[in-house]
Amino acid sequence: MSISKETLLEMYKRMNQARKFEEKVNWFFARGMIHGTTHLSIGQEASGVAAVMALEKGDLVSLTHRGHSQFIGMGIDINKMMAELMGKYTGYCKGKGGSMHIADIESGNLGANGIVGGGLTLAPGAALTQKYKKTGKVVLCTFGDGAANEGAFHEGINLSSVWKLPVIFYCENNLYGMSTAQSKSMNIENIADRAVSYGIQSFIIDGYDAIEVYETVQKAAEMCRRGEGPVLIEAKTYRFVGHSKSDANAYRTKEEINSWKEKDGIKRLRDKILKLGFATEKELEDIEEEAKQSIEEAVEFAQNSPMPPLDTLEEDVYAD
C-alpha cells in the first residue's frame, strides 16, 4: 500500500466532511432555504475524495454538476463553498455560481459544469497547455456514465490520444444517467473498454474502495507525467440519493439502494484504518465530530455573510 497513515486519516476526514456537507445541503433544499438546484453525491465520497487527493499540488481538476465531494477532497475552504451555495458574496464565485458552477483556479479547480460532458473537451485544452509549457502537471477530468455517450467524450479522448496529452479521464459510473440505467443506454458492461478504440490505457476500479481509487489515480498521473497519457479510469460507484432534489427515485428499488448502502465507502475506509492500527475508535470518532463541526461552522459563516451588492450585478458576466 503506497498511502501513508496521515493521508488515510485526512482522507477519512474529508470523506466525512463531504457526506455531512451534502446531508446539510439536502436539508436546506428540502426547506427552500437554498435556491436553484443541486446534485448530491452522497454515497460516492470514496470515488470523489480519494481521486483528487492522489494528485500533486498544481495539478488541475474539472468537475461535473455533481462535484461537491471532489472539491472538498481538494482541501478547500468549506466556509466559502457553503456561502456559494447560499448565494452569498463571500462564496467562491461571489454567490453567482451556486452548486453547479463552483470554480477556484488557485486551488486547481477549473470549475464544475452544468453541461453534461462539458469538461470532456475543456480538460484536454488545459492538458494541452500543461504539455506546451512543460509544467509536468496533469488534468483530472471527471464525468459520469451518462456523459460517456456524449460526442464530447469521443472527441476529447480521441484528440487527447493523438496528442498524448497529460489528462486522466475519470468516469464515476454510478449506474444511472439521471433515471436511465446504463444497461438501457449502451451495449457494453464497462465504459473503460472503449479505451482500446483510442489506443490508450484504462483501469476499472471499485469506486467504494478509497485506497484502490487513490492508488490507481496516482498510477495514472505518473503515466501522464511520463508522457504516456491520456488514461481512462472507470470507478464503479453508486449514489444513495436521487439525481437531483426533484428526483423521486421511482426507477430504483429500496432493496437496490440499501444493498449499496451496506457497502458504504466511508465505513469501509473506517474498518481498514482500524485494521491497520492507524487509529482507535475514539480517534476516528473525534475525526467524525471534527468533520461535523466544520460543516456547522460553515453554515454559520454562510448565514452571517452578506448577499452580493446590487452594484456588482454586471460583474463577472460574459457574453459572446
Side-chain angles (χ1 to χ4, degrees):
M1 188 176 70
S2 62
I3 184 169
S4 68
K5 169 185 173 179
E6 292 72 24
T7 300
L8 270 185
L9 294 179
E10 183 62 28
M11 184 183 296
Y12 185 67
K13 174 187 173 181
R14 295 183 191 183
M15 285 170 61
N16 272 277
Q17 285 180 318
R19 175 71 60 86
K20 297 301 181 183
F21 179 90
E22 294 204 314
E23 287 177 345
K24 182 64 70 172
V25 169
N26 193 36
W27 189 88
F28 281 134
F29 264 103
R31 288 157 180 77
M33 299 170 68
I34 293 181
H35 304 287
T37 190
T38 189
H39 302 81
L40 306 178
S41 57
I42 296 175
Q44 297 182 205
E45 294 85 3
S47 62
V49 171
V52 296
M53 286 191 66
L55 301 175
E56 294 182 356
K57 183 177 177 58
D59 288 337
L60 304 171
V61 181
S62 69
L63 305 179
T64 70
H65 54 281
R66 202 182 307 280
H68 297 155
S69 288
Q70 289 94 336
F71 199 25
I72 290 175
M74 296 175 77
I76 49 78
D77 187 334
I78 295 182
N79 290 351
K80 293 172 67 176
M81 187 172 176
M82 184 66 79
E84 183 60 38
L85 265 69
M86 288 191 175
K88 297 302 183 72
Y89 196 55
T90 53
Y92 270 105
C93 300
K94 303 177 185 177
K96 297 179 179 179
S99 173
M100 291 194 293
H101 305 100
I102 296 179
D104 180 41
I105 302 301
E106 289 186 9
S107 69
N109 174 12
L110 296 174
N113 204 311
I115 299 174
V116 175
L120 287 164
T121 51
L122 296 176
L128 177 61
T129 299
Q130 307 316 305
K131 182 174 182 178
Y132 182 78
K133 292 185 175 181
K134 296 181 173 60
T135 66
K137 301 305 180 182
V138 304
V139 181
L140 181 75
C141 175
T142 66
F143 63 101
D145 49 290
N149 283 339
E150 292 282 336
F153 171 85
H154 305 281
E155 295 167 5
I157 294 184
N158 182 65
L159 199 57
S160 297
S161 173
V162 172
W163 289 345
K164 293 191 177 300
L165 300 181
V167 55
I168 303 170
F169 291 97
Y170 184 67
C171 177
E172 286 188 283
N173 184 356
N174 61 25
L175 310 184
Y176 292 92
M178 293 186 70
S179 60
T180 303
Q182 178 191 335
S183 61
K184 294 182 179 180
S185 63
M186 57 186 78
N187 193 30
I188 53 173
E189 181 178 351
N190 302 311
I191 293 170
D193 291 345
R194 291 177 171 174
V196 70
S197 300
Y198 304 103
I200 66 174
Q201 178 69 52
S202 67
F203 299 95
I204 300 171
I205 59 176
D206 181 354
Y208 270 26
D209 186 336
I211 295 175
E212 183 180 4
V213 170
Y214 181 93
E215 293 183 332
T216 304
V217 172
Q218 190 176 62
K219 180 179 180 180
E222 291 170 354
M223 292 171 64
C224 286
R225 293 187 217 284
R226 293 195 300 264
E228 301 171 14
V231 180
L232 174 60
I233 299 176
E234 178 182 3
K236 306 281 190 179
T237 185
Y238 196 84
R239 52 176 162 81
F240 297 163
V241 295
H243 168 71
S244 64
K245 68 174 183 176
S246 58
D247 186 348
N249 260 325
Y251 52 90
R252 305 190 294 183
T253 65
K254 289 183 178 179
E255 290 74 19
E256 177 183 315
I257 297 172
N258 289 334
S259 70
W260 281 90
K261 286 184 176 180
E262 292 175 2
K263 308 171 187 177
D264 192 346
I266 294 180
K267 181 181 183 301
R268 191 167 172 178
L269 181 59
R270 191 181 201 279
D271 292 342
K272 184 66 173 179
I273 291 173
L274 289 172
K275 184 178 180 180
L276 290 169
F278 283 176
T280 64
E281 287 275 3
K282 176 62 168 58
E283 288 170 334
L284 290 182
E285 288 173 2
D286 289 344
I287 290 175
E288 293 158 12
E289 181 59 32
E290 182 184 355
K292 179 180 178 181
Q293 185 58 35
S294 69
I295 304 305
E296 295 303 325
E297 291 172 359
V299 170
E300 183 178 1
F301 173 83
Q303 290 179 329
N304 292 330
S305 293
M307 298 295 290
L310 285 177
D311 59 10
T312 66
L313 183 63
E314 296 181 355
E315 290 181 3
D316 310 309
V317 179
Y318 303 88
D320 292 332

